[in-house]
Amino acid sequence: GLDIRFSKIGLENVHITMKDVVKGDSVWLDLPDAKLTADKVDLSQQLLALDAVRLDSPTFGMYAMRRAIPADTVHKDPTWLGRNDGFRFFVRDMLISAKEIAVDNGSFAMYADTVAPPRRMFDKDRMVFSSSVLRVRDLIFTNDSIAANVKELAFTSGPADRRIELSGSIFAAPDHISFKDGKLNLAGNALAVEVTARPDGLSAAYRAPEKVPIQLSVNADLEPFRLRP
């Protein structure tokens, strides 16, 4: 099998563009400066333990032509349904962790039909986030659980370039999903949020999401006029 090991990786001026010449869809990625420092890497043991991931001014974009969605006449359940093996289908038995992830001055965009500035703060056809900052500690992906401490996620969006800031701790297991110590600042409106969901396994949550018990706690300091487009 493939065995790759490293202690440090540094990338500069990486530019990737892919385009579907038939459908017209495209994806692009720019990495002016990227650094990865490993704590331990052993792909023969499915282990990827990173000490730090740092990206400076990354840009990611997607463009898709709007097209009619054909009716789903033959519904097929996802292949992981009913296996009761946690997140194994997605993680593939890997043990992935990162002590620290830092992104500065990032840009993210998803366009449908037209590459143009967003018309409102949350424009589903022109999702554009700029001046993005991300700080994550203790990220973990395993078959059994996913966890991360999001110290800071901040970006600018909408035609008025409003700032959105989010932080909190995320934990997900097949029978327990939570977002704790959540803080959201949206255009000057501050919210403290905690959410806990207790599904009876991932398969049950997929089949009947409306039956999953959810506990939600919100404390807010709102100035609604700031949310106007």
Side-chain angles (χ1 to χ4, degrees):
L2 183 65
D3 187 12
I4 300 175
R5 306 187 187 195
F6 64 89
S7 58
K8 293 182 180 180
I9 293 179
L11 302 173
E12 292 184 354
N13 299 320
V14 176
H15 306 283
I16 300 173
T17 301
M18 295 183 292
K19 184 174 183 179
D20 187 321
V21 296
V22 176
K23 297 180 181 178
D25 300 347
S26 59
V27 176
W28 58 93
L29 172 66
D30 288 345
L31 290 175
D33 188 4
K35 294 181 176 65
L36 284 75
T37 304
D39 185 29
K40 185 176 182 180
V41 178
D42 189 346
L43 296 187
S44 66
Q45 299 296 320
Q46 305 285 82
L47 175 64
L48 177 59
L50 300 176
D51 186 59
V53 178
R54 294 184 173 88
L55 307 178
D56 185 21
S57 302
T59 298
F60 177 81
M62 297 179 63
Y63 170 78
M65 294 288 292
R66 196 189 307 276
R67 58 183 64 90
I69 300 176
D72 185 4
T73 56
V74 182
H75 176 73
K76 292 184 178 180
D77 288 331
T79 56
W80 55 264
L81 201 65
R83 291 188 178 182
N84 299 319
D85 56 0
F87 303 105
R88 184 173 182 271
F89 177 83
F90 309 97
V91 182
R92 302 294 183 180
D93 295 322
M94 290 288 293
L95 299 175
I96 303 172
S97 65
K99 292 180 181 178
E100 179 184 1
I101 298 175
V103 178
D104 288 298
N105 194 34
S107 298
F108 173 87
M110 293 180 64
Y111 300 100
D113 275 349
T114 304
V115 177
R119 296 159 294 190
R120 59 187 69 89
M121 179 175 287
F122 299 107
D123 188 340
K124 64 182 179 63
D125 295 326
R126 304 169 186 176
M127 295 178 59
V128 180
F129 306 135
S130 60
S131 303
S132 302
V133 175
L134 176 65
R135 296 289 185 273
V136 175
R137 297 297 304 269
D138 303 324
L139 173 69
I140 297 174
F141 280 93
T142 71
N143 287 348
D144 301 319
S145 63
I146 299 171
N149 186 0
V150 182
K151 307 296 289 185
E152 180 184 7
L153 170 60
F155 54 87
T156 299
S157 183
D161 289 334
R162 290 193 171 99
R163 196 69 175 164
I164 301 172
E165 300 173 351
L166 174 70
S167 63
S169 296
I170 301 169
F171 176 81
D175 60 352
H176 181 185
I177 301 172
S178 66
F179 179 65
K180 299 288 188 181
D181 301 319
K183 295 180 181 179
L184 172 65
N185 191 303
L186 175 59
N189 291 270
L191 294 88
V193 182
E194 292 203 356
V195 183
T196 301
R198 297 188 180 277
D200 188 16
L202 297 179
S203 296
Y206 177 85
R207 291 189 174 105
E210 73 280 0
K211 295 183 179 179
V212 176
I214 297 177
Q215 293 178 324
L216 173 64
S217 173
V218 178
N219 292 313
D221 182 10
L222 300 179
E223 297 181 14
F225 73 91
R226 295 181 180 271
L227 298 177
R228 294 174 184 169

